[in-house]
Amino acid sequence: MSSVAVLTQESFAEHRSGLKGGVTEDEAYIPTYLEAFPPLPEKGTPGEKSGEPSGAWSRIRPIKASVITQVFHVPLEERRYKDNSQFGEGEEAKVCLDIMQKTGAHIELSLAKDQGLSIMVTGKLDSVMKARKEIVARLQTQASATVIIPKEHHRFVIGKNGEKLQELELKTATKIAIPRPDDPSANIRITGTKEGIEKARHEILLISAEQDKRAVERLSLEKAFHPFIAGAYNRLVQELSQETGARISIPPPSLHKDEIVITGEKEAVAMAIARIRGIYEEKKRKTTTISVEVKKSQHKYIIGPKGNTLQEIMESTGVSVEMPQLDSPSETIILRGEPDKLGPALTQVYAKAKSVMVVEVTAPAWLHRFIIGKKGQNISRITQQLPKVHIEFADGEERISLEGPTEEVEQARAQIQEMIKDLMCRMDYTEVTIDQRFHRHLIGKNGANINRIKEQYKVSVRIPQDTERSGLVRIEGDPQGVQLARRELIEMAQRMENERTKDMIVDQKFHRTIIGQKGEKIKEVRDKFPEVIINFPDPSQKSDIVQLRGPKNEVEKCAKFLQKMIADLVCSTLLPPPLSSFPLQIFFRGMVVAWWIREETNTKIDLPTENSNSEMIIITGKKANCEAARDRILTIQRDLANIKESEVAIPAKLHNSLIGSKGCLVRSVMEECGGVHIHFPAEGSGSDKVTIRGPAGEVEKARKQLLQLAEEKQVNNFTAELQAKPEYHKFLIGRGGANIRRVRDRTGARIIFPSPDEPEQELITIVGKEEAVRLAQRELEILVKNLDDVIEGSMVVDVRHHRHFVCRRGQVLRELAEEYGGVAVSFPRTGAHSDRVTLKGAKDCVEAAKRRIQEIIEDLETQVAVEVAIPQRHHRAVMGPKGSRIQQITRDYEVQIKFPEREETAAPQENGDACLDGEFVPRKCDIIAISGRAEKCELARTALLALVPITVDVEVPYDLHRYIIGQKGSGIRKMMEGYEVNIWVPQPEQQSDVIKITGQVTNVERARQGLLERVKELQAEQEDRALRSFKVTLSVHPKYHPKIIGRKGAVISQIRKDYDVNVQFPDKGDEQQDMIVISGYERNAEEARAAIGQLVAELQDMVSEDVLLDHRVHARIIGARGKAIRKLMEEFKVDIRFPQPGSDDPDRVSVSGLPENVDNAIDHLLNLEEEYMLTVTESETMAAYMKPPSRSGGGGVTDEDGRGATKGFVVRDAPWNVPDGSKAPDMSSAEDFPTFGTGVAPKQMSVWGPKKY
């Protein structure tokens, strides 16, 4: 009977508790072997039910694990590293670690008795194979061998994309080197272990042997007979391949090769060659040829799509049709076949050639897309009806090509021509040139503008892309719609030309208020000014700039409207001081009244401070709220003080003149009358009432003065108005205000013309004494009447001067019209050969314009050209940013300045490296031309020469250069930008002290002074650094260094901060470990040394004592993260050190500090120990009480924690426990070591189920 040791849960529990055998609770019961491991029951006989499940389990195939393990052995003689003195730590371990990191496999090394290396690799199959290859290559000595196989077999060893070769190398753990195709050698070199080399050699020879059974033959047959061998649609060659089993490769017709390649088994290849030769010989003997001429354009129809037509002819007639190459000019087609079949084949060729025709239909290129229709709707109707017709539109050309069967092509042509005729009747197009910079505005946001025009006028508008750099806009559609769309686009472009952009500075905090909730307020503004685009900055930009864009007049009106809104949002009102008999501070003491008014009116009220002499109250908020707050404060003030208020009626038109410039006139009246307050109504209110408030006597005095001033102003403030067309205004004013100045001088009246943003543009206001106003009015009325009499005059202007007036889009003519009352000046057309110029307008304007034209002509005739030689390298500096300096000179002196073309070969100057010392020889690229009147040309020439930069040398010590340049050139760049000069600093290798400054004279001088000031600053900094570099040393024993440094450097950081010094402690490797170096100002360094010396003296007075504290209370004393012990050390001003874990004396604690502090700290620690030990004792007693009974005897040996030493699980009467200790157990004894049942056949299953691998 066989038995197996089994330990059940119940028996184990019984053994542990000692219930069997009457063993007492304190004694451990040792079970017998049979009790601990009872035998299993006998195996059931075959046929019993217990055996049935094994058959079902046997049918389940075991699942292979994804992780595999491979073990292989490296003999001593093949080991690369044979030093066994440090096995597991040498090169072998490093190599294995590297391989594990690369491949992800796990590697274990072991050393056999024969000093061979056993390697176990675990991981996924791919990782294991890669790791094995790496191990063999790096841990095993490599041998090499050569195998020779035919050169043509090499490609089969390599495989597709080298996959076969890689697989072979991984499988055999070798490196296989195959010679290149151009290398005549057939030797394949294998490198690796002997075993791997043999495996690789065997595999290569197997591949070569397999290929030896195959053959490759090449037949050179005339290209003309290849179609007969291939057959129609390659059917014949496919049948040959199937019959013989050989692979036959015939070159395509486009490839000029006669060679046919047959591959396969040798017998199959021989059979295929015989069949092919038979076909070739037969066709060569029976066939003949005929040649025909067919137009080149029809060849493609004979060939057909993918050569299908040729294959059809071949299939039906057995005739091969040879076509010339498409790039060949030849039109000859050769038919090859049996004589009786050539006729039908020729008929088919002609039929195919004439089956398709090509015609062209003329249609304007702009109509093509309308013919095609939206998404190809129109053209798709034709192609669906006539699917064999191919329609091609020539891009940019006025033709449409149709290709297909003759009848269908005619039908398609008729339909397209009818479509073209219809479109020509109801469609039109036009082109308009619009400046490219306006294109995006024409399109609008997301195409809003252009889509509206397209939908409104039913037209198509094509705006060129920005990359085309074209201003030509094309409009296509209904004739009427095209004209309307054209007019609107031109109007939009004209508006954009007159458009202006204005930036307003609005505090960002008001943006949200101006926009309003959900944009309601800004929508009202945009509705009021629909032509103005208002852009607010993004809140994240923190910008105050609000941009307005639109027509000039509308932008100005919108800006004023917004300014008024902002003024309403922020309005500050100054409240006058109360009477001196009622101090302001008493009036508002307690701030109760002020707080109530703030809450009621939603304003901010600022009172003067107690120490301030001012008694002015400032109220800030919206205008209406400020006025409400002011009225309430004044009402309270009147109730509390005897203040008189009086109103006087003064015409509103006199208010501004009474207030005076910045309020100076009314302020003088208030100061003269004892500090009364005079309040004028808001401008534009239309009210004549002026309020005077103050003491009764002073109010009356102020009233009389105001009425007297008003009477004086009334006499000198008579006003009259005159109507005149806006275009006359400039002429009435005259050039430089000459005309209007003459009227003013003669009459003494003031004449006010309307500003561009005023609604009444025709209204001219005359102000002054009545007599003077009447006289000025009469003179202006005469001038206006003369302007209303339109006449037409002419004058002669030499043809050569015409271009000056009409160039630049007629700028001179526009200036004349603006300046002289809208006079129209017409010059003859180019090529008319006429010198007569027509002027139309008011008589005076025409005469004035003639005089001005004559002046311009005289200027042109007296113009001279002056040349100024300035080196080309200075031209950019002379021009200034964006040519601003040149533009200013041309405006100031009325001259034209032309710069020469830049000569690229000129040597570049680096960083202002100009050399003006040598003699300057002007070149063509240095000459600047000035044209204009002689005297003005000279003035312009002088101004240009003044702009030529000069270079000065400044002596700056070389060691300061790097500080002047600054980090990444920031310092020198800042100076160059600030002074508008170029500063050149010499290269470090030159060791030069000279810095060159180049620029305009004034800028260069400023830059020189600035550079010298910077040098002085740097020299002062150098001196300061020298003073700060004073060093002193202090010798302090290293044991005090941690105390001087302090916790986290707190002590030494405080010393450095207090004395502004740097304290350096010695490094670990320094020889002088006691030397501390202090650097800084001499006085500070000495004071710091004294402070450290004092600290050391205090430390030397300290003592260190040891105290024994039970190690079990150490953690309680230290506290969480050392919090408790830190608090204790701060309280007693001592340092407490606990022993490290594993110390020989775990109870010894060291306390250091001043003697008195140390004694106090030790007493406190001992008290804590006594307190904490009570808790520790209670915890241990409770733990002992809760501890389960011991398995060992009472007298058993205990460990240091008092726990019994465990002996593990012990059984009695086991086979290995032989009474005679000298006798070893019999391993072959079935009684001592029973087997797990009787032997069974491999395919039969035991009661334990199938084997698992």
Side-chain angles (χ1 to χ4, degrees):
M1 175 180 174
S2 62
S3 64
V4 179
V6 176
L7 178 62
T8 64
Q9 186 176 2
E10 293 79 5
S11 62
F12 180 73
E14 291 174 355
H15 299 162
R16 182 177 179 186
S17 59
L19 296 176
K20 290 187 177 183
V23 181
T24 62
E25 185 174 323
D26 293 335
E27 294 175 352
Y29 175 75
I30 301 176
T32 64
Y33 181 78
L34 290 176
E35 289 172 344
F37 302 102
L40 289 173
E42 288 288 342
K43 175 176 170 58
T45 58
E48 290 183 0
K49 291 183 179 180
S50 60
E52 288 177 4
S54 65
W57 285 106
S58 64
R59 289 196 296 271
I60 298 176
R61 296 181 61 187
I63 299 172
K64 291 187 178 179
S66 61
V67 177
I68 66 165
T69 301
Q70 281 195 6
V71 181
F72 52 96
H73 187 72
V74 179
L76 175 64
E77 59 274 10
E78 293 184 12
R79 281 180 60 189
R80 178 163 291 181
Y81 307 103
K82 299 180 181 178
D83 184 12
N84 296 327
S85 58
Q86 292 182 334
F87 180 72
E89 299 179 4
E91 289 297 325
E92 288 174 340
K94 291 179 183 177
V95 169
C96 288
L97 185 62
D98 184 45
I99 294 171
M100 283 194 289
Q101 290 175 349
K102 284 182 180 179
T103 62
H106 179 69
I107 302 172
E108 293 183 11
L109 298 180
S110 59
L111 198 64
K113 291 182 179 179
D114 61 355
Q115 299 302 310
L117 199 63
S118 293
I119 303 168
M120 184 170 69
V121 186
T122 306
K124 293 186 178 181
L125 178 61
D126 186 43
S127 300
V128 169
M129 296 301 288
K130 288 180 181 177
R132 182 170 178 270
K133 182 182 175 184
E134 287 281 333
I135 290 168
V136 168
R138 297 174 65 177
L139 293 183
Q140 198 166 355
T141 55
Q142 303 291 296
S144 62
T146 302
V147 59
I148 301 174
I149 62 173
K151 186 78 173 177
E152 56 269 20
H153 295 173
H154 287 190
R155 63 191 182 92
F156 299 103
V157 177
I158 296 171
K160 187 178 181 181
N161 296 326
E163 292 176 358
K164 182 72 174 176
L165 181 62
Q166 291 175 9
E167 183 185 349
L168 191 57
E169 286 182 337
L170 279 175
K171 186 177 177 181
T172 60
T174 57
K175 178 68 177 174
I176 302 171
I178 298 177
R180 298 176 62 83
D182 54 359
D183 189 347
S185 173
N187 295 343
I188 297 177
R189 187 174 185 81
I190 309 170
T191 306
T193 63
K194 291 180 180 179
E195 182 184 358
I197 289 171
E198 288 301 323
K199 288 181 181 178
R201 186 172 179 279
H202 176 70
E203 292 289 337
I204 291 171
L205 290 175
L206 280 179
I207 293 169
S208 178
E210 185 181 345
Q211 295 304 319
D212 278 336
K213 298 176 182 179
R214 301 178 63 81
V216 179
E217 293 291 339
R218 290 175 171 79
L219 284 178
S220 290
L221 304 177
E222 291 180 43
K223 182 77 175 177
F225 293 96
H226 287 190
F228 297 109
I229 297 169
Y233 300 104
N234 289 327
R235 289 173 187 158
L236 183 55
V237 75
Q238 289 171 7
E239 290 174 3
L240 280 174
S241 294
Q242 289 175 1
E243 290 177 9
T244 61
R247 183 181 174 188
I248 304 169
S249 177
I250 299 175
S254 58
L255 191 63
H256 296 288
K257 285 182 69 175
D258 294 339
E259 197 174 68
I260 298 175
V261 181
I262 305 106
T263 58
E265 299 290 338
K266 291 182 179 179
E267 293 179 2
V269 169
M271 191 184 304
I273 290 173
R275 294 284 300 276
I276 290 170
R277 286 191 183 279
I279 295 169
Y280 170 70
E281 294 296 339
E282 181 186 358
K283 293 298 179 182
K284 191 173 183 181
R285 185 175 64 257
K286 291 183 178 181
T287 58
T288 182
T289 62
I290 59 171
S291 300
V292 294
E293 297 288 331
V294 177
K295 284 185 180 180
K296 190 75 178 178
S297 60
Q298 302 300 112
H299 284 196
K300 58 182 179 180
Y301 308 123
I302 298 171
I303 297 170
K306 297 183 180 179
N308 282 343
T309 305
L310 295 180
Q311 298 297 331
E312 286 177 15
I313 296 171
M314 182 74 177
E315 186 178 27
S316 60
T317 63
V319 175
S320 169
V321 182
E322 300 171 15
M323 305 294 297
Q325 294 296 320
L326 293 176
D327 54 358
S328 170
S330 174
E331 296 184 343
T332 304
I333 298 174
I334 300 172
L335 283 75
R336 187 184 303 273
E338 297 178 8
D340 57 335
K341 294 180 181 178
L342 287 175
L346 184 59
T347 304
Q348 288 192 31
V349 167
Y350 279 123
K352 295 294 182 183
K354 293 179 180 180
S355 63
V356 177
M357 69 177 293
V358 178
V359 296
E360 290 185 354
V361 179
T362 303
W366 65 274
L367 275 183
H368 286 188
R369 62 193 195 86
F370 295 103
I371 295 169
I372 295 169
K374 190 175 182 181
K375 296 183 180 179
Q377 287 179 347
N378 298 342
I379 206 68
S380 63
R381 283 200 297 268
I382 299 173
T383 53
Q384 285 171 5
Q385 293 174 7
L386 309 168
K388 294 184 179 179
V389 178
H390 174 68
I391 304 172
E392 183 177 350
F393 290 82
D395 191 17
E397 298 182 19
E398 297 188 346
R399 62 183 179 85
I400 304 171
S401 299
L402 286 78
E403 179 183 326
T406 307
E407 293 180 2
E408 293 188 4
V409 165
E410 288 297 337
Q411 293 177 27
R413 176 164 64 176
Q415 290 184 29
I416 289 174
Q417 285 176 339
E418 186 179 348
M419 198 182 296
I420 292 168
K421 186 178 179 181
D422 176 59
L423 288 171
M424 290 293 286
C425 293
R426 59 186 180 84
M427 297 288 287
D428 192 10
Y429 82 95
T430 186
E431 293 178 342
V432 57
T433 303
I434 297 175
D435 196 319
Q436 194 178 11
R437 70 177 186 271
F438 301 139
H439 287 183
R440 63 190 184 92
H441 302 297
L442 292 178
I443 295 169
K445 189 175 182 180
N446 297 325
N449 295 344
I450 205 67
N451 289 337
R452 179 185 57 77
I453 292 172
K454 287 178 180 178
E455 292 173 6
Q456 184 176 349
Y457 301 115
K458 308 299 181 187
V459 295
S460 172
V461 183
R462 184 192 177 277
I463 297 176
Q465 298 289 333
D466 292 342
T467 54
E468 297 180 25
R469 300 196 177 277
S470 170
L472 199 65
V473 177
R474 188 181 182 91
I475 310 167
E476 300 166 352
D478 179 71
Q480 186 178 357
V482 165
Q483 294 304 320
L484 292 172
R486 180 180 181 276
R487 189 180 307 125
E488 182 164 345
L489 286 175
I490 291 172
E491 287 174 1
M492 288 174 70
Q494 288 174 347
R495 281 201 306 272
M496 288 169 199
E497 283 184 353
N498 298 328
E499 196 176 67
R500 115 168 237 211
T501 300
K502 182 172 184 177
D503 290 341
M504 290 183 64
I505 305 299
V506 181
D507 197 328
Q508 194 183 28
K509 64 185 178 184
F510 297 127
H511 290 187
R512 188 182 293 276
T513 310
I514 295 170
I515 294 169
Q517 189 175 9
K518 297 182 180 179
E520 292 175 356
K521 291 187 178 179
I522 199 64
K523 186 176 182 299
E524 292 175 5
V525 178
R526 285 173 174 151
D527 292 343
K528 189 177 180 67
F529 304 99
E531 297 183 9
V532 180
I533 298 172
I534 306 171
N535 290 325
F536 285 86
D538 191 87
S540 61
Q541 294 178 357
K542 304 293 184 184
S543 173
D544 295 337
I545 297 175
V546 178
Q547 191 181 72
L548 310 180
R549 191 177 77 244
K552 184 178 178 182
N553 293 342
E554 292 296 312
V555 166
E556 291 297 334
K557 291 178 185 176
C558 183
K560 287 205 169 185
F561 184 81
L562 286 175
Q563 285 170 351
K564 189 170 183 299
M565 282 183 68
I566 296 161
D568 290 343
L569 289 174
V570 182
C571 178
S572 297
T573 301
L574 299 178
L575 189 69
L579 297 179
S580 56
S581 60
F582 191 74
L584 185 67
Q585 297 298 330
I586 297 172
F587 171 63
F588 272 109
R589 180 153 296 176
M591 296 300 294
V592 177
V593 178
W595 175 85
W596 172 69
I597 295 173
R598 283 194 195 111
E599 291 296 316
E600 288 288 322
T601 61
N602 194 23
T603 56
K604 179 184 177 185
I605 302 175
D606 294 321
L607 302 177
T609 59
E610 290 187 13
N611 300 326
S612 173
N613 295 325
S614 172
E615 293 188 341
M616 195 67 68
I617 301 172
I618 300 174
I619 307 172
T620 306
K622 289 188 176 181
K623 188 173 182 180
N625 296 346
C626 288
E627 290 177 352
R630 181 192 62 195
D631 292 342
R632 294 192 184 193
I633 293 173
L634 292 175
T635 302
I636 295 170
Q637 185 176 346
R638 279 196 301 271
D639 294 342
L640 298 176
N642 182 21
I643 296 174
K644 182 182 178 181
E645 185 176 291
S646 176
E647 290 183 351
V648 58
I650 298 174
K653 61 183 179 181
L654 298 178
H655 289 183
N656 284 340
S657 57
L658 289 177
I659 293 170
S661 177
K662 297 182 180 178
C664 60
L665 187 57
V666 75
R667 197 180 302 115
S668 66
V669 173
M670 288 192 293
E671 290 173 357
E672 189 177 338
C673 299
V676 297
H677 175 65
I678 301 172
H679 176 67
F680 286 85
E683 188 177 357
S685 65
S687 175
D688 293 340
K689 291 183 179 180
V690 178
T691 306
I692 308 170
R693 188 185 304 109
E698 302 297 334
V699 166
E700 188 60 31
K701 184 179 177 182
R703 180 175 176 277
K704 289 180 180 179
Q705 285 198 20
L706 278 180
L707 288 173
Q708 185 180 351
L709 285 171
E711 188 177 351
E712 292 175 3
K713 296 290 181 182
Q714 184 76 24
V715 173
N716 296 323
N717 204 39
F718 184 77
T719 303
E721 294 178 345
L722 179 69
Q723 297 284 336
K725 293 180 181 179
E727 54 264 28
Y728 293 165
H729 291 185
K730 279 202 173 183
F731 180 74
L732 293 174
I733 295 168
R735 194 173 184 189
N739 296 346
I740 206 68
R741 198 180 300 115
R742 283 197 297 271
V743 175
R744 285 175 180 167
D745 293 343
R746 282 199 298 269
T747 62
R750 184 182 175 196
I751 302 165
I752 303 169
F753 287 85
S755 59
D757 54 351
E758 289 184 16
E760 293 292 336
Q761 288 292 306
E762 295 186 355
L763 194 65
I764 300 173
T765 307
I766 309 168
V767 182
K769 292 183 178 180
E770 184 175 1
E771 183 182 352
V773 168
R774 297 295 183 194
L775 182 59
Q777 186 178 10
R778 283 196 296 274
E779 287 195 20
L780 287 177
E781 283 174 349
I782 294 168
L783 287 172
V784 171
K785 187 177 180 182
N786 292 338
L787 292 174
D788 286 335
D789 298 333
V790 177
I791 65 166
E792 185 172 325
S794 64
M795 64 182 297
V796 176
V797 178
D798 197 319
V799 176
R800 70 177 186 273
H801 298 316
H802 288 192
R803 187 174 181 279
H804 174 77
F805 290 92
V806 299
C807 68
R808 290 177 293 172
R809 298 183 181 178
Q811 183 179 348
V812 178
L813 298 181
R814 284 200 302 274
E815 290 173 357
L816 286 171
E818 290 174 3
E819 192 171 343
Y820 298 104
V823 64
V825 184
S826 301
F827 279 78
R829 292 186 178 181
T830 306
H833 303 293
S834 173
D835 57 1
R836 187 162 296 281
V837 178
T838 304
L839 295 88
K840 188 175 182 180
K843 184 178 179 181
D844 292 344
C845 293
V846 169
E847 292 302 323
K850 283 183 179 180
R851 288 194 296 273
R852 179 59 186 150
I853 291 172
Q854 200 61 45
E855 289 175 8
I856 294 171
I857 292 169
E858 288 175 5
D859 286 346
L860 292 173
E861 289 178 345
T862 57
Q863 267 191 0
V864 296
V866 176
E867 292 184 348
V868 185
I870 297 175
Q872 180 181 311
R873 63 177 176 270
H874 299 316
H875 287 187
R876 189 186 297 274
V878 170
M879 289 180 185
K882 298 181 180 179
S884 58
R885 294 172 184 163
I886 290 301
Q887 292 169 11
Q888 188 62 42
I889 292 173
T890 56
R891 283 195 298 269
D892 292 346
Y893 302 109
E894 297 178 358
V895 295
Q896 298 294 323
I897 301 174
K898 184 180 179 182
F899 280 78
E901 293 292 332
R902 186 171 181 82
E903 189 176 297
E904 297 298 335
T905 56
Q909 303 295 331
E910 293 185 4
N911 197 15
D913 187 12
C915 182
L916 302 177
D917 300 334
E919 185 178 351
F920 171 55
V921 180
R923 299 168 297 167
K924 185 178 179 181
C925 62
D926 299 329
I927 305 299
I928 301 172
I930 308 172
S931 58
R933 284 182 174 269
E935 62 276 9
K936 293 188 175 180
C937 284
E938 285 301 322
L939 293 172
R941 180 177 181 277
T942 305
L944 275 179
L945 291 174
L947 294 175
V948 176
I950 64 166
T951 301
V952 298
D953 294 345
V954 182
E955 292 282 342
V956 177
Y958 167 73
D959 57 339
L960 298 180
H961 287 190
R962 61 194 182 96
Y963 302 110
I964 290 171
I965 293 170
Q967 188 176 10
K968 295 183 179 179
S970 60
I972 199 76
R973 193 159 50 248
K974 184 178 179 181
M975 291 184 71
M976 289 165 67
E977 291 171 359
Y979 297 115
E980 295 183 8
V981 294
N982 202 353
I983 301 175
W984 180 80
V985 181
Q987 297 295 328
E989 57 268 15
Q990 295 180 7
Q991 299 282 321
S992 173
D993 293 341
V994 178
I995 292 180
K996 295 180 182 294
I997 306 175
T998 304
Q1000 294 183 33
V1001 179
T1002 54
N1003 295 347
V1004 166
E1005 184 58 29
R1006 288 192 305 114
R1008 190 178 73 84
Q1009 293 297 333
L1011 185 59
L1012 292 176
E1013 289 175 6
R1014 177 65 178 150
V1015 170
K1016 288 179 183 177
E1017 291 175 5
L1018 292 172
Q1019 287 174 341
E1021 290 176 7
Q1022 277 188 333
E1023 292 174 2
D1024 184 65
R1025 279 198 296 273
L1027 292 174
R1028 289 179 66 89
S1029 62
F1030 180 78
K1031 291 184 179 180
V1032 295
T1033 56
L1034 180 65
S1035 179
V1036 177
H1037 195 281
K1039 69 180 181 181
Y1040 298 124
H1041 289 186
K1043 297 290 185 182
I1044 297 172
I1045 294 171
R1047 179 177 173 78
K1048 294 184 180 179
V1051 177
I1052 199 64
S1053 296
Q1054 191 62 40
I1055 292 173
R1056 287 170 177 157
K1057 183 179 177 181
D1058 292 346
Y1059 299 102
D1060 190 21
V1061 294
N1062 183 28
V1063 183
Q1064 190 69 35
F1065 287 84
D1067 294 331
K1068 288 185 178 179
D1070 289 350
E1071 294 181 0
Q1072 297 179 329
Q1073 287 292 307
D1074 60 342
M1075 197 63 66
I1076 298 174
V1077 180
I1078 307 168
S1079 58
Y1081 291 116
E1082 183 177 0
R1083 180 180 174 185
N1084 294 355
E1086 293 293 348
E1087 290 177 355
R1089 181 169 67 172
I1092 294 174
Q1094 184 179 354
L1095 183 61
V1096 171
E1098 292 176 1
L1099 292 173
Q1100 288 174 344
D1101 293 339
M1102 291 183 179
V1103 297
S1104 179
E1105 291 188 18
D1106 293 342
V1107 58
L1108 295 176
L1109 302 175
D1110 195 301
H1111 66 275
R1112 289 174 290 177
V1113 301
H1114 287 187
R1116 293 284 300 276
I1117 295 172
I1118 294 171
R1121 297 183 179 179
K1123 187 175 180 181
I1125 196 65
R1126 277 199 301 275
K1127 184 177 179 182
L1128 195 149
M1129 288 193 290
E1130 290 172 4
E1131 182 181 350
F1132 292 98
K1133 294 182 176 54
V1134 294
D1135 184 49
I1136 302 172
R1137 298 291 176 188
F1138 287 84
Q1140 295 292 330
S1143 173
D1144 295 337
D1145 192 353
D1147 296 339
R1148 187 173 299 279
V1149 177
S1150 176
V1151 183
S1152 56
L1154 294 175
E1156 185 181 353
N1157 295 344
V1158 168
D1159 292 341
N1160 293 337
I1162 290 175
D1163 290 343
H1164 185 74
L1165 287 172
L1166 292 172
N1167 290 336
L1168 288 176
E1169 180 196 22
E1170 184 178 354
E1171 179 184 343
Y1172 294 153
M1173 280 304 295
L1174 293 174
T1175 308
V1176 170
T1177 307
E1178 289 176 2
S1179 299
E1180 288 182 351
T1181 304
M1182 183 61 69
Y1185 177 75
M1186 298 296 292
K1187 187 176 179 181
S1190 172
R1191 290 192 298 269
S1192 61
V1197 181
T1198 61
D1199 59 9
E1200 63 182 10
D1201 293 332
R1203 293 176 298 193
T1206 179
K1207 295 182 181 180
F1209 184 71
V1210 182
V1211 295
R1212 294 180 287 114
D1213 302 332
W1216 52 84
N1217 293 333
V1218 181
D1220 186 2
S1222 61
K1223 181 182 177 184
D1226 185 4
M1227 303 293 290
S1228 59
S1229 172
E1231 185 179 353
D1232 291 344
F1233 293 95
T1235 60
F1236 287 86
T1238 57
V1240 293
K1243 291 185 179 180
Q1244 293 177 348
M1245 307 305 294
S1246 68
V1247 293
W1248 297 98
K1251 293 183 181 179
K1252 295 182 180 179
Y1253 299 95

